[in-house]
Amino acid sequence: MTSPSVLNLAPVVPVVVLEDAADAVPLARALVAGGLPAIEVTLRTAAALDAIEAIAAEVPDAVVGAGTVISARNVADTVAAGARFLVSPGWTDSLLDAMKAAEVPFLPGVSTTSEVVALLERGVTEMKFFPAEAAGGTAYLKALSAPLPQARFCPTGGITPASAPTYLALPNVDCVGGSWMVPGDALAAKDWARVERLAGEAAALRG
């Protein structure tokens, strides 16, 4: 991952799935107001690129990134839309090359020790650990910290407000990713005040 790092912007990175790009700006403003400036908009919907572009243009205090990046085309499209960081669920050599060439921070996804070592071999020290809970959770990450202390992680996948502090207490975890501060019912109701409150609670989490 190139400098600057996105791992130290906040203890939690919201992982956002948007069906309607019109929700992007008010949602981003609520998250930023709650203290979560780094926002990962996943490429799981047709609205994602428009949402990234809108946040980049209209919410200057947000650091908008793209998640579920799985191809060089995804890299090019999201950076062109204004993404300031990239997150992938996994990685290949070609995807890693594309993310490095984009010259924005990126978090390639890993779930095994061999994948971590391979990234370190390529000069990458900051990674997404995914799917965190299914791949071994805090016990797995703690086990990695002794032999591979140079690897830094943002665990994502199944993390809750209850489990997040345990992750954040680990020496090799700088932040976690999660979606609990953007519940579906709040998004459907456009209850931005609730999102801001939940974001504030997430921003206050510490290990």
Side-chain angles (χ1 to χ4, degrees):
M1 180 172 164
T2 57
S3 185
S5 172
V6 297
L7 290 181
N8 56 10
L9 288 173
V12 179
V13 176
V15 179
V16 175
V17 181
L18 285 170
E19 299 289 347
D20 185 351
D23 291 334
V25 168
L27 175 64
R29 287 175 176 157
L31 292 169
V32 170
L36 300 181
I39 303 168
E40 177 188 333
V41 178
T42 66
L43 300 182
R44 302 179 192 175
T45 69
L49 285 176
D50 288 339
I52 291 169
E53 187 170 13
I55 294 170
E58 299 183 46
V59 191
D61 290 334
V63 181
V64 64
T68 323
V69 173
I70 59 172
S71 69
R73 178 63 180 269
N74 287 162
V75 172
D77 288 347
T78 54
V79 171
R84 293 170 61 185
F85 66 92
L86 306 170
V87 183
S88 68
W91 68 279
T92 63
D93 285 327
S94 60
L95 178 58
L96 188 66
D97 289 343
M99 290 193 291
K100 280 189 168 186
E103 298 186 345
V104 299
F106 60 91
L107 295 174
V110 297
S111 60
T112 70
T113 307
S114 293
E115 290 169 331
V116 174
V117 171
L119 282 178
L120 292 174
E121 196 174 73
R122 295 286 304 270
V124 177
T125 59
E126 299 185 351
M127 312 167 194
K128 170 181 178 174
F129 180 59
F130 177 83
E133 286 290 285
T138 55
Y140 194 96
L141 285 171
K142 184 177 181 180
L144 289 182
S145 65
L148 301 171
Q150 65 272 52
R152 314 298 301 175
F153 298 99
C154 177
T156 305
I159 297 175
T160 67
S163 63
T166 307
Y167 279 95
L168 291 167
L170 294 173
N172 53 353
V173 171
D174 292 325
C175 65
V176 300
S179 57
W180 71 84
M181 71 297 299
V182 190
D185 56 346
L187 192 57
K190 303 186 189 304
D191 189 349
W192 310 126
R194 182 182 173 202
V195 171
E196 181 178 343
R197 176 177 60 80
L198 292 171
E201 293 171 0
L205 289 174
R206 288 294 183 270

